Amino acid sequence: MRIPFLNYLKQNHYTGFDLKAVLFDMDGVLYDSMPAHARSWQETMEQRGYTSTTPEEFYFHEGRIGSSTIDIITEREFGRNATEEEIRDIYARKSALFAQYNQGEILPGIKEIIGCVKSRGLEPVLVTGSGQPSLLDRLDIHFPGVFTPQTMVTAFDVEHGKPDPEPYLMGLQKGGDLKPNQAIVIENAPLGIESAVGAGIFTIAVNTGPLPDSVLGDAGASVVFSSMEKLLERMPEILRLTQTISI
């Protein structure tokens, strides 16, 4: 486990970590919501006459702002950008289906991981590309007192969504104007990993979806875990290493 941390420090020219915060993605990290996202996106696109998408594709788009996803698929399908009206219509329909399909279940182990983070005096920060009120409104119910508007970055806060570094750079700001070596990221999606790595932050991937582990590693994750429970087992060691490892 030491080697990924040492590699990160060497590659980014740090002598050590000064951990202050842990930055969490939401879909696929806090909530087991991606199957409902993929289903609602796919059905919406089919209903609107798109023929080239598959449910799995939306795991690759995970983390994008919805309008960007719609634009990319419209450009591929029809050779043009989506209109503002199309974006509003498609995203509204997708959101309605998502609210219908999503069960709102949190991923096993994530509450314990957040508890481990908080017990060490670290700040949990949410960095999500989602703008789904049905999920954002549940954070206070499922994670009371953990995430506040001051420690959340959502689709409403950024101009450029993942994979651009902007969301995680903003996450560093909301964590307390932090430097990259003062945080670590927990992600599950290739675009989110690219965003976090682009912001210079040590990034842990948890594979909670159907994509191969290699996709997450290729996106730049320093470590890949096969489940949240596996990450939970190693979380104390990870936090200890950030306190003790140096070059």
Side-chain angles (χ1 to χ4, degrees), residues 17-29:
F17 289 86
D18 179 24
L19 198 62
K20 305 292 185 185
V22 178
L23 281 50
F24 294 87
D25 180 37
M26 183 171 69
D27 293 298
V29 171

Side-chain angles (χ1 to χ4, degrees), residues 9 28 55 60 73 108 137 172 187 205:
L9 294 175
F60 286 95
I73 296 172
D137 292 346
L172 291 174
E187 259 284 357

Side-chain angles (χ1 to χ4, degrees), residues 128-238:
T128 177
S130 180
Q132 299 278 179
S134 60
L135 272 181
L136 296 172
D137 292 346
R138 294 178 183 176
L139 287 168
D140 276 340
I141 297 171
H142 296 128
F143 305 96
V146 175
F147 303 108
T148 69
Q150 290 72 38
T151 59
M152 290 171 54
V153 180
T154 75
F156 303 112
D157 299 311
V158 298
E159 182 177 352
H160 305 290
K162 303 171 184 178
D164 192 275
E166 182 185 354
Y168 278 105
L169 291 173
M170 187 174 291
L172 291 174
Q173 293 177 358
K174 292 210 169 191
D177 292 322
L178 304 178
K179 297 177 181 178
N181 69 324
Q182 293 182 303
I184 60 175
V185 167
I186 299 176
E187 259 284 357
N188 73 302
L191 296 186
I193 293 165
E194 289 181 32
S195 174
V197 172
I201 311 169
F202 185 88
T203 304
I204 297 168
V206 185
N207 195 348
T208 59
L211 304 181
D213 286 356
S214 59
V215 172
L216 306 183
D218 290 345
S222 292
V223 188
V224 180
F225 290 94
S226 60
S227 69
M228 203 61 68
E229 292 98 329
K230 294 293 185 183
L231 173 59
L232 176 59
E233 291 175 7
R234 304 298 292 274
M235 199 66 190
E237 179 186 0
I238 288 168

